[in-house]
Amino acid sequence: MTGLRPRRVTLRTRLTLIYGGLFLVAGLVLLGVTYALFNQQLTGTGPKIVSKSQLPEPGPGRKHLVVMTGNGDVLYGTGAEQWMRDQQEQLHDAATTSLFTQGGIALLVVGGLAAGFGWLVAGRVLVPLHQVTNTARRIATAPAADRNLHERIALHGPDDEVKDLAGAFNTMVERLDRSFDGQRRFVANASHELRTPLTVSRSLVEVAMHRKTASPDVKQLGETLLEINTRHERLINGLLLLAGSENEILDRRPVDLADVVTHVVAQTAAEAERAGIEVRADAAEAMTTGDAVFLERLVQNLVENGIRHNTGGWVHVVSRTGADGRAEVEVRNTGAVVPQYEIPALFEPFRRLATDRLATAKGAGLGLSIVRSVAKAHGGEVTAHPRDGGGLVVSVVLPQ
């Protein structure tokens, strides 16, 4: 019949047959070695009986045993019988000793050889599984810029569980690849579709506000609408930047974080002056590779976070190269006391401290989320802890 799938031999069955065969062969070898040693002991050197015979004893129909040993001694009657019993006990003891000592040594040797062959055979059998594992690890641990979700496991061999695993892994990676492609297309489309209505809305409000016939109430309403529009623009830009920062950084170039820190501090000077916040910068050379726009946004979010969640204090920005050669950026700021247990929540989207309500929030609640996403996309990490006296200390470490 055609079209019928042949019954496959599973990996479990193959391993069972292989190891069962190996142990069967090892058992046969061990049995042969033990028999040879035992036989050698039985026929080995020692006191030998040269001859024995039955000679008549005095009396009708009676005989006694006569034994000549290997030493030339001739034993008669009861002495010969005792000598035979002693020889049998010695032979039994010697054979038992040989079986437990030499047989044990043979067992260890043969068991070691069987284990060695089993290790080699298992390695050969599990090569396809190692191929699956290595491919999965290579995709999972590769930097974002080098990650290739188009890679598949080209596994050749029998139709068994390992091949099923490779097929399931390929299907999963293919779906992830399609999902990420769809996400990138969505970000590109949303960038246009969401910004355009807000731009039109802003233009209409500004035109209505600047009419000569506009009343004070209309102008006040326009200012309120523009403030709401600005907040929506900031929220949409933050969402788009957050989505974009989680994608692969394809164009990596050398970036000195000292230049980024200097530029961001100068750019936020006006906002800091209006808020009455002193911003200090110690911009030492800190080279890394990545996207300069995203890295600038990372530093800017940290500085703006320190300015906006502050009251008449200061913000201190430091860039440096660590002892391990990695680039570091640290932002310290004064402000309200932040409990240690609330810090992890600050890196989640739209999460704020209990004192920051949505209606009075000074940001969209995405600043530190974007910082974490940009750092991860560049292979770095972010840590934060409360500053003594209030405020935060946020550190970002990026690879060289």
Side-chain angles (χ1 to χ4, degrees):
M1 295 177 65
T2 60
L4 294 179
R5 185 178 181 181
R7 185 177 181 84
R8 66 179 183 177
V9 180
T10 64
L11 179 61
R12 184 176 184 180
T13 303
R14 289 164 56 195
L15 289 176
T16 301
L17 293 176
I18 290 172
Y19 284 115
L22 284 176
F23 281 114
L24 178 61
V25 173
L28 292 175
V29 173
L30 180 61
L31 180 61
V33 172
T34 304
Y35 173 77
L37 293 174
F38 191 81
N39 185 61
Q40 180 183 4
Q41 185 64 38
L42 289 176
T43 58
T45 58
K48 296 182 180 179
I49 300 173
V50 176
S51 64
K52 65 179 181 177
S53 60
Q54 297 287 337
L55 298 179
E57 266 187 77
R62 300 183 62 185
K63 297 182 179 180
H64 65 274
L65 181 65
V66 178
V67 175
M68 180 179 290
T69 66
N71 297 328
D73 299 331
V74 179
L75 303 176
Y76 301 93
T78 305
E81 294 177 358
Q82 183 63 40
W83 185 87
M84 290 289 294
R85 285 193 294 269
D86 292 342
Q87 293 301 310
Q88 288 177 354
E89 291 178 359
Q90 293 178 10
L91 182 60
H92 180 270
D93 293 341
T96 303
T97 302
S98 175
L99 183 62
F100 282 103
T101 56
Q102 299 181 11
I105 296 174
L107 177 62
L108 292 177
V109 173
V110 175
L113 292 176
F117 282 113
W119 177 267
L120 294 176
V121 172
R124 293 294 300 273
V125 172
L126 296 178
V127 164
L129 187 59
H130 292 323
Q131 184 178 351
V132 174
T133 305
N134 293 335
T135 304
R137 184 181 293 114
R138 186 166 57 253
I139 294 176
T141 60
D146 300 329
R147 191 167 298 162
N148 182 16
L149 292 178
H150 299 288
E151 185 176 1
R152 301 291 182 268
I153 301 175
L155 188 62
H156 304 286
D159 185 13
D160 54 18
E161 290 88 347
V162 178
K163 200 164 188 178
D164 288 344
L165 176 62
F169 179 82
N170 288 338
T171 302
M172 179 191 67
V173 174
E174 183 179 356
R175 291 181 178 178
L176 286 175
D177 191 16
R178 289 200 303 265
S179 176
F180 287 136
D181 285 341
Q183 182 186 29
R184 283 189 284 268
R185 288 194 300 269
F186 169 78
V187 170
N189 295 332
S191 177
H192 175 73
E193 296 296 333
L194 294 178
R195 285 173 176 170
T196 300
L198 290 177
T199 303
V200 173
S201 176
R202 171 180 288 276
S203 300
L204 292 175
V205 172
E206 289 177 347
V207 169
M209 289 177 57
H210 292 90
R211 286 179 179 176
K212 294 180 180 181
T213 58
S215 64
D217 292 339
V218 172
K219 292 182 179 180
Q220 181 63 36
L221 177 61
E223 291 177 358
T224 304
L225 292 176
L226 287 178
E227 183 179 351
I228 295 174
N229 199 87
T230 301
R231 183 178 298 176
H232 289 167
E233 288 178 349
R234 187 165 58 243
L235 175 60
I236 291 173
N237 290 334
L239 287 172
L240 295 176
L241 182 62
L242 179 62
S245 64
E246 292 178 345
N247 292 334
E248 300 178 2
I249 305 299
L250 299 177
D251 187 13
R252 285 179 171 260
R253 296 183 180 180
V255 179
D256 188 355
L257 295 181
D259 297 336
V260 176
V261 168
T262 303
H263 176 70
V264 168
V265 170
Q267 196 175 34
T268 57
E271 181 180 357
E273 185 177 357
R274 288 193 301 269
I277 305 298
E278 179 189 2
V279 180
R280 304 192 302 268
D282 292 331
E285 180 178 342
M287 295 299 301
T288 185
T289 58
D291 189 297
V293 175
F294 282 136
L295 293 175
E296 179 183 342
R297 186 64 183 182
L298 179 149
V299 178
Q300 184 176 354
N301 280 9
L302 291 177
V303 175
E304 289 179 348
N305 186 75
I307 294 173
R308 294 171 182 174
H309 300 277
N310 208 332
T311 52
W314 49 263
V315 177
H316 188 197
V317 189
V318 179
S319 65
R320 57 176 175 260
T321 301
D324 55 358
R326 296 191 296 176
E328 299 179 5
V329 174
E330 182 181 85
V331 178
R332 295 173 174 264
N333 64 272
T334 57
V337 176
V338 181
Q340 177 67 42
Y341 62 85
E342 288 195 8
I343 287 181
L346 297 179
F347 288 91
E348 299 297 328
F350 306 111
R351 296 293 295 273
R352 300 177 176 86
L353 292 176
T355 56
D356 280 342
R357 301 270 50 97
L358 183 61
T360 61
K362 301 176 182 179
L366 297 172
L368 293 181
S369 300
I370 294 174
V371 169
R372 183 180 61 178
S373 296
V374 172
K376 285 186 176 181
H378 286 78
E381 56 185 9
V382 183
T383 57
H385 63 271
R387 177 186 164 275
D388 294 339
L392 275 179
V393 179
V394 183
S395 301
V396 180
V397 180
L398 299 171
Q400 190 175 14

